Amino acid sequence: MKSYPESVAFLGQFGRFQQVVFFLLCVSIVPNGFGAFTLVFLVDTPAHHCRVPDVNLTENWRNAVIPLRVVNGKEVRNSCSRYRLDVVRNLSDQGYSPERDVNLTTLEEETCRDGWIYSKDVYQSTIVTEFDLVCNDQWKKPFTTTIFFVGILCGSFFAGQLSDKLGRKPILFATLALQTIFSFIQVFSVSWSMFTVLLVINGLGQMSNYMSALVLGAEILTGNVRLLYSSLGTCFGFAVGYMILPVCAYFLRDWKSLLLALSLPCLVFFPFWWFIPESPRWLLCQGRVEEAEAIMRKAAKMNKVQAPEVIFEDYLIVSKPTEPKPKEPHSILDLVGNLEIGFMTMILCYVAFTMSAGYYGISFNTTQFHANAYVSCFISGAVELPAYVSSWLALRYVSRRMSVIGSLALAAVPLYFIQLVPEGYSGLSLTLEMLGKYAITTGFGLMFAYTTELYPTALRNTAAGLCNTVARLGSCIMPYLLELRSYSPFLPYIILGSLAVLAAFATILLPESFGKPLPESIQHMHKRNNIKCPCLPKAETPVAVVLMENTKS
């Protein structure tokens, strides 16, 4: 029986049809780049202090009513308290001077009863300033980021299974519509609660359409073009969106304007529906051979080549009603029902969790890279370009397993070494952190392609969705992981480095997929991957198989 690549070899690898699919799918991923990191600017907290109402105070007392505290060796205004206003007003009325007559440290303090004054040196407004997510409500800031990734987690879980049942193309455009529409509606939020509810719905489509586009392109394209798309094309689309974000945010310092600028242009993607086909592999898997052939004949016209009279002859024979073959229902249970497949899935999920926690942890720490948050974010995005080139080269010339192990090890080393950098060598710290970002991004790019290569067509999107779901758990804990800097600035780095080392050792147990065709069925997957679980006894070779091999020899 001919494989899918053999059946469509008459098209060539990169004709006009493949070019259109390649380019449009990569462009459709751009919104994920800026959508995933918009919260870097939306939830950033500008300098702030208690608002002092317009009361009868001298200028000296108005400047002194906010207590001072020492942060990193510098005196700054307290963000969450002020001296009791009635006491200060009484002292001011009596003519006392705050510099000469009063020991300010003995005065009683109170909370910011009249709200806050926010610095507008960097932002005109963020959701932090809009909804006062500071002081007693400061917990809402990391929770906002976490709830966004919870939405992504749920979307990844359900979209993967729906894509395997309903098709790659409908889910791709449904999730793209979801994130576009709800990014726009968020502009009209009147409360933090409303904003977070809309943010969760936005998150449902945020990375789900990335996975659908990745799998769709990987199943349509073949050979080296498939590798180029899976590693470099999709990732470059994401990185371009990432770098667009700080440019837009620099010119649009108001959070509502930024959301509008990032959501409305996405409407141009919906006409892509008429140019991007459904996955022929998926159609064949569903027994819809005529539809798959129609797509290939249209592709042949675009590429100006002659299609065979019957393109998928072997699939037509298999699907004849005279030879009924019961269709196996596949679900997420197939990923864990078998011990060996479950073992492989468990390792892939853990590696994806580690990659996600490291990637988003370093990326959301971007405002610490440079005094200018916009420059920091752009640098963080730009580092991804060489990282994705590295992942493409690794996918083309190096084994998958060794590539993932190498990227995890290279990420762990600089994260451990950051704590050894002497104070004052910020440039060296930045270099180490960017090296860690480069390595973890390279690994992230590898894992998408690696996962799709290990599973058969019927389970490919479900498996990618499950791994992506578990990966989102890593991004969900990331905001609170970064909060550990209040105990030690190096604690998040140590945790992320340790996770990477463990993931590198776990990857040794995964099967290799380099240079092997995509599996079309679970049986093909078992035969090709030769999964071995160290906790299980080695299976004995059946006697019938031994006799058959001896007969052949």
Side-chain angles (χ1 to χ4, degrees):
M1 181 175 178
K2 281 186 178 180
S3 65
Y4 174 83
E6 291 172 334
S7 299
V8 300
F10 67 92
L11 287 176
Q13 285 202 7
F14 206 47
R16 186 182 175 191
F17 170 73
Q18 291 95 332
Q19 291 168 13
V20 169
V21 171
F22 189 104
F23 175 75
L24 294 185
L25 286 176
C26 289
V27 171
S28 74
I29 288 171
V30 170
N32 291 282
F34 51 71
F37 298 105
T38 309
L39 289 179
V40 169
F41 298 104
L42 296 189
V43 302
D44 204 5
T45 305
H48 58 280
H49 59 81
C50 292
R51 181 186 297 277
V52 179
D54 190 14
V55 295
N56 187 23
L57 290 177
T58 65
E59 187 64 26
N60 287 346
W61 275 108
R62 183 170 290 277
N63 293 332
V65 70
I66 307 297
L68 298 177
R69 60 192 179 98
V70 178
V71 177
N72 296 327
K74 297 180 180 179
E75 283 192 340
V76 296
R77 287 182 166 188
N78 196 308
S79 302
C80 297
S81 66
R82 68 187 183 192
Y83 294 122
R84 278 187 53 181
L85 202 57
D86 56 342
V87 174
V88 170
R89 187 187 306 168
N90 186 39
L91 291 171
S92 177
D93 291 342
Q94 294 180 30
Y96 289 106
S97 169
E99 296 91 353
R100 184 178 64 248
D101 303 322
V102 178
N103 182 0
L104 296 175
T105 58
T106 63
L107 297 182
E108 187 178 350
E109 297 181 13
E110 63 183 2
T111 57
C112 301
R113 298 180 179 180
D114 300 295
W116 291 263
I117 296 291
Y118 296 96
S119 169
K120 293 190 176 182
D121 292 341
V122 180
Y123 307 105
Q124 287 298 308
S125 68
T126 66
I127 66 164
V128 173
T129 66
E130 183 81 14
F131 305 121
D132 290 329
L133 308 185
V134 293
C135 300
N136 290 338
D137 285 332
Q138 188 175 1
W139 63 273
K140 294 179 179 179
K141 177 184 171 180
F143 183 77
T144 301
T145 306
T146 294
I147 206 71
F148 172 65
F149 284 107
V150 168
I152 294 178
L153 183 153
C154 296
S156 301
F157 180 77
F158 292 110
Q161 297 179 71
L162 289 173
S163 182
D164 282 334
K165 294 181 185 302
L166 303 179
R168 304 347 185 181
K169 182 178 173 179
I171 300 304
L172 168 63
F173 284 92
T175 51
L176 182 60
L178 201 65
Q179 72 178 87
T180 301
I181 293 169
F182 282 90
S183 291
F184 175 76
I185 298 176
Q186 279 179 276
V187 173
F188 304 99
S189 300
V190 295
S191 67
W192 174 76
S193 299
M194 178 180 176
F195 181 87
T196 52
V197 169
L198 294 173
L199 189 64
V200 171
I201 303 174
N202 180 0
L204 291 174
Q206 188 57 239
M207 290 301 290
S208 301
N209 69 302
Y210 182 102
M211 296 305 301
S212 297
L214 173 68
V215 173
L216 178 57
E219 291 184 345
I220 292 176
L221 304 170
T222 59
N224 290 331
V225 177
R226 177 174 64 84
L227 280 181
L228 181 68
Y229 171 80
S230 299
S231 57
L232 205 58
T234 55
C235 296
F236 260 44
F238 187 89
V240 167
Y242 193 170
M243 292 191 295
I244 287 174
L245 172 63
V247 176
C248 292
Y250 179 80
F251 292 103
L252 301 169
R253 304 296 181 99
D254 173 72
W255 71 275
K256 293 185 177 181
S257 301
L258 180 59
L259 279 179
L260 281 174
L262 296 177
S263 59
L264 291 179
C266 294
L267 294 174
V268 303
F269 297 129
F270 294 103
F272 289 7
W273 174 273
W274 287 275
F275 300 96
I276 298 175
E278 180 55 272
S279 165
R281 284 182 189 263
W282 180 82
L283 291 170
L284 292 171
C285 184
Q286 301 298 308
R288 294 157 63 176
V289 183
E290 292 81 5
E291 294 177 55
E293 287 221 355
I295 292 173
M296 289 297 101
R297 295 194 185 284
K298 184 178 178 181
K301 288 182 180 179
M302 292 180 66
N303 286 4
K304 297 180 179 179
V305 297
Q306 183 65 41
E309 185 176 344
V310 180
I311 301 174
F312 300 112
E313 183 176 359
D314 293 330
Y315 290 91
L316 283 169
I317 293 173
V318 170
S319 61
K320 279 184 179 179
T322 54
E323 299 178 19
K325 184 179 180 181
K327 185 179 176 181
E328 295 182 36
H330 295 299
S331 70
I332 195 171
L333 296 178
D334 291 306
L335 300 177
V336 293
N338 178 280
L339 284 176
E340 291 181 337
I341 296 178
F343 176 73
M344 182 183 77
T345 302
M346 180 182 67
I347 293 177
L348 286 170
C349 286
Y350 173 67
V351 175
F353 172 89
T354 300
M355 294 283 194
S356 182
Y359 175 79
Y360 285 102
I362 297 175
S363 297
F364 272 81
N365 196 39
T366 186
T367 53
Q368 307 297 317
F369 292 163
H370 192 278
N372 188 314
Y374 305 103
V375 172
S376 301
C377 187
F378 189 84
I379 291 173
S380 184
V383 165
E384 298 198 0
L385 296 178
Y388 292 136
V389 172
S390 298
S391 67
W392 170 64
L393 292 173
L395 284 171
R396 188 162 185 182
Y397 299 110
V398 187
S399 74
R400 306 291 184 260
R401 192 163 46 201
M402 291 308 300
S403 300
V404 173
I405 292 171
S407 64
L408 287 166
L410 184 59
V413 170
L415 292 178
Y416 280 134
F417 280 4
I418 285 178
Q419 59 187 315
L420 303 179
V421 177
E423 189 176 351
Y425 288 81
S426 58
L428 180 56
S429 297
L430 174 61
T431 301
L432 289 173
E433 196 155 16
M434 285 296 93
L435 179 59
K437 173 71 186 291
Y438 162 82
I440 207 75
T441 303
T442 301
F444 220 177
L446 291 168
M447 285 304 298
F448 284 125
Y450 193 15
T451 302
T452 59
E453 290 177 348
L454 290 176
Y455 291 94
T457 304
L459 288 172
R460 188 168 294 120
N461 224 53
T462 298
L466 177 62
C467 290
N468 197 28
T469 299
V470 177
R472 296 313 135 198
L473 291 175
S475 54
C476 287
I477 68 166
M478 173 272 304
Y480 297 99
L481 181 66
L482 295 181
E483 291 293 315
L484 295 176
R485 290 175 302 190
S486 59
Y487 299 98
S488 169
F490 305 113
L491 190 54
Y493 297 124
I494 295 172
I495 293 174
L496 291 175
S498 301
L499 287 173
V501 170
L502 291 175
F505 280 109
T507 304
I508 297 173
L509 303 175
L510 288 174
E512 184 55 67
S513 63
F514 181 56
K516 298 180 181 179
L518 292 179
E520 300 292 347
S521 64
I522 293 180
Q523 291 75 19
H524 185 197
M525 173 188 176
H526 273 291
K527 181 180 178 180
R528 197 202 73 166
N529 288 347
N530 191 25
I531 309 162
K532 292 183 174 63
C533 176
C535 57
L536 296 176
K538 186 176 180 179
E540 295 183 2
T541 305
V543 175
V545 174
V546 175
L547 291 174
M548 186 180 297
E549 290 179 351
N550 290 337
T551 302
K552 288 181 180 179
S553 60

